[in-house]
Amino acid sequence: MRKIGILTGGGDCPGLNAVIRAVVEKCAAHGIETFGFAGGWRGALNAEGKWMTLADVENLQAQGGTLLFTSRTNVLKEENGPERVKATMEKLGLSAIVAIGGDDTLGVADKLNNMGLNMIGVPKTIDNDLAGTEFTFGFDTAANIAMEQIDRLHTTAYSHNRYIVVELMGRHTGWIAMYAGLAGCASVTIIPEFPKTVEEVAQIMLERKERGLDYGIIAVAEGCEFADMDLSDANLDEFGNVRVAEKDVAERLAEALKKRTGIPTRHTVLGYIQRAGSPSVFDRILGTRMGYKAAECVIAEDYGKMMALQANEIVAIPLAAASAGRKVVGENLYKCAELYFR
Ligand code: F6P
């Protein structure tokens, strides 16, 4: 009987469980057993986890988070990391691993695949910034949660004649901020792809004041930099990513805007609520379709591939695509949103 492993790495994300369910079910239907590694690459390094049953994945697509736990462990930074993964695969008799994760997790999978360990990747991130795929599951749920919170914040901002700076997730790109800010009618949305200065944001607030509007929402992606505000004192994680939550972008921006405009300005950080809880229908279906296609690759022994959504079809593209740069918010979308920065 053929056997494979499956793991989830990086930040958790609504839709991960839909992928796990689809892989386990489709593989089982072809007589392939699936070992679920616990805690991403950490489980693969230490041979930790369990053999998955159909009972484990019953109705799993409806649940947020990941049944298998996750970590940001980087195999390539561990002593004899690739050898340890190889030993685990041999010990458990696995012919391949399906790795579900963002650019870090899939980058590791690509390198291991190049070293001769069979890997298949499924892209995941609420940030939606993975190249090669038009959308990643998790993003739709996160953007909807963020939009709902912005909708709510309008009423308290209005009632108190004040601005609220809302910090959204997105350490390198501003997809969540852009979608939620535009859909939720923010007075301005600031994203890493199209930087603004504090002064420019202050001007928008002052112009609104002249029109009798002394309240509003300012959406800001957590990864933003400002030429006129220092945010350089941040920590790095194991992959060298800035721990953006520690930059306090919204808090510092709100403070700076209050100083410059004299308009009361508060801040709120939406944080982990954006990736918590049950996935939207879009994310359940996208996760299911990607898991199904990944299992088809397992069955066909078509390794070194990453699943991708292209023109509404799920296709298998080279795994290297995950590390081939980021998908950023483009000018057309930004220009459309900019019309409402007023
Ligand atoms: O990469 C997805 C993401 O949600 C980012 O938007 C965020 O910066 C990061 O994960 C934070 O995750 P953690 O605090 O778990 O490392």
Side-chain angles (χ1 to χ4, degrees):
M1 183 179 252
R2 279 179 66 202
K3 294 168 185 166
I4 60 152
I6 189 167
L7 61 83
T8 52
D12 76 330
C13 172
L16 283 169
N17 281 327
V19 183
I20 296 168
R21 172 177 176 254
V23 170
V24 171
E25 293 259 6
K26 176 81 176 155
C27 284
H30 284 75
I32 300 169
E33 270 190 276
T34 304
F35 186 86
F37 287 113
W41 289 116
R42 194 183 60 219
L45 285 167
N46 303 325
E48 282 167 9
K50 63 172 283 216
W51 291 104
M52 308 286 289
T53 66
L54 292 186
D56 290 331
V57 298
E58 180 72 21
N59 198 24
L60 193 60
Q61 80 294 339
Q63 286 172 34
T66 164
L67 181 73
L68 296 175
F69 309 106
T70 184
S71 75
R72 292 194 188 272
T73 301
N74 185 347
V75 172
L76 305 172
K77 290 240 168 96
E78 300 288 324
E79 210 177 325
N80 301 322
E83 291 76 16
R84 285 169 63 194
V85 173
K86 188 171 182 227
T88 296
M89 291 177 75
E90 281 168 5
K91 180 177 164 195
L92 298 169
L94 309 180
S95 52
I97 291 178
V98 175
I100 314 165
D103 51 350
D104 292 332
T105 306
L106 299 190
V108 168
D110 185 38
K111 296 224 168 56
L112 295 178
N113 193 73
N114 293 339
M115 293 173 190
L117 303 178
N118 298 330
M119 298 284 152
I120 291 168
V122 179
K124 145 303 352 178
T125 170
I126 62 163
D127 296 345
N128 197 38
D129 58 358
L130 266 168
T133 184
E134 284 157 12
F135 283 99
T136 44
F137 58 82
F139 167 67
D140 182 68
T141 307
N144 271 290
I145 294 169
M147 179 197 72
E148 281 163 19
Q149 302 306 314
I150 290 177
D151 283 348
R152 286 180 179 276
L153 288 167
H154 276 289
T155 65
T156 179
Y158 170 88
S159 305
H160 287 263
N161 311 89
R162 62 168 62 137
Y163 277 81
I164 300 181
V165 178
V166 190
E167 183 177 311
L168 291 318
M169 277 187 166
R171 65 171 115 202
H172 303 293
T173 60
W175 286 100
I176 297 175
M178 192 77 271
Y179 269 52
L182 179 55
C185 199
S187 300
V188 53
T189 297
I190 312 155
I191 60 173
E193 294 91 324
F194 297 91
K196 284 210 166 295
T197 59
V198 176
E199 192 52 45
E200 285 168 338
V201 181
Q203 279 313 314
I204 293 173
M205 290 168 69
L206 292 170
E207 280 161 27
R208 280 172 64 83
K209 193 173 177 191
E210 273 174 28
R211 301 201 312 274
L213 297 168
D214 56 359
Y215 69 95
I217 301 295
I218 294 165
V220 60
E222 61 184 354
C224 284
E225 303 282 345
F226 297 82
D228 50 355
M229 187 169 72
D230 184 27
L231 292 167
S232 56
D233 49 344
N235 291 331
L236 301 183
D237 71 12
E238 243 194 86
F239 280 93
N241 296 312
V242 171
R243 288 196 201 277
V244 277
E246 290 168 28
K247 275 168 64 175
D248 303 325
V249 172
E251 186 176 358
R252 296 188 206 193
L253 180 60
E255 202 52 45
L257 289 169
K258 191 164 57 187
K259 257 194 210 133
R260 277 177 211 230
T261 62
I263 301 170
T265 307
R266 304 289 169 92
H267 80 280
T268 190
V269 180
L270 292 194
Y272 296 108
I273 195 75
Q274 292 162 94
R275 67 186 201 202
S278 187
S280 65
V281 65
F282 183 85
D283 288 336
R284 291 184 198 195
I285 300 303
L286 183 55
T288 300
R289 292 177 72 196
M290 286 200 169
Y292 185 91
K293 182 75 178 172
E296 284 190 331
C297 289
V298 168
I299 293 157
E301 299 183 53
D302 187 12
Y303 304 124
K305 295 288 164 59
M306 174 188 107
M307 305 310 107
L309 180 71
Q310 291 182 358
N312 207 23
E313 287 299 328
I314 308 295
V315 293
I317 64 173
L319 194 41
S323 329
R326 285 181 199 291
K327 184 177 75 229
V328 297
V329 173
E331 201 169 339
N332 288 344
L333 174 57
Y334 188 76
K335 287 238 168 292
C336 169
E338 218 176 13
L339 177 66
Y340 305 99
F341 293 178
R342 57 179 177 78

